[in-house]
Amino acid sequence: IGAYPVASKGEMWIEKAFNDYLGEVRPGHVYTEGSPELGCACRKLGFAHSTSTPGRAATNGKIERIQRLLAELTRCLLL
């Protein structure tokens, strides 16, 4: 899991975070929750891109679990 603090959630910052995280590796496919910024960055970088179904956690189960884990770990660190 990688986290990249950025000044805003604009397409330019997302593109930079993708490049920092991936380095020379280029994914065959990127799966996101459907934010327009992520979609624009994926198109600009030439990544195949699909999105989860809004309001259906079952279609996004893996990331939901990771977000829950991160929230739990953050709470532990803040105590």
Side-chain angles (χ1 to χ4, degrees):
I1 298 172
Y4 293 88
V6 294
S8 75
K9 65 176 192 169
E11 160 189 346
M12 178 186 72
W13 292 104
I14 293 172
E15 186 179 339
K16 182 179 178 343
F18 267 133
N19 286 325
D20 288 348
Y21 179 75
L22 296 171
E24 297 298 317
V25 176
R26 289 296 171 233
H29 188 264
V30 176
Y31 185 73
T32 69
E33 93 304 356
S35 74
E37 298 87 4
L38 288 171
C40 287
C42 286
R43 278 190 297 282
K44 194 169 184 181
L45 292 168
F47 301 159
H49 175 245
S50 63
T51 61
S52 62
T53 305
R56 297 216 24 158
T59 64
N60 204 16
K62 188 179 279 190
I63 195 64
E64 293 290 337
R65 177 65 183 120
I66 290 170
Q67 288 176 338
R68 180 176 155 197
L69 174 65
L70 289 173
E72 290 170 354
L73 292 173
T74 302
R75 276 194 290 277
C76 289
L77 291 173
L78 292 175
L79 294 176

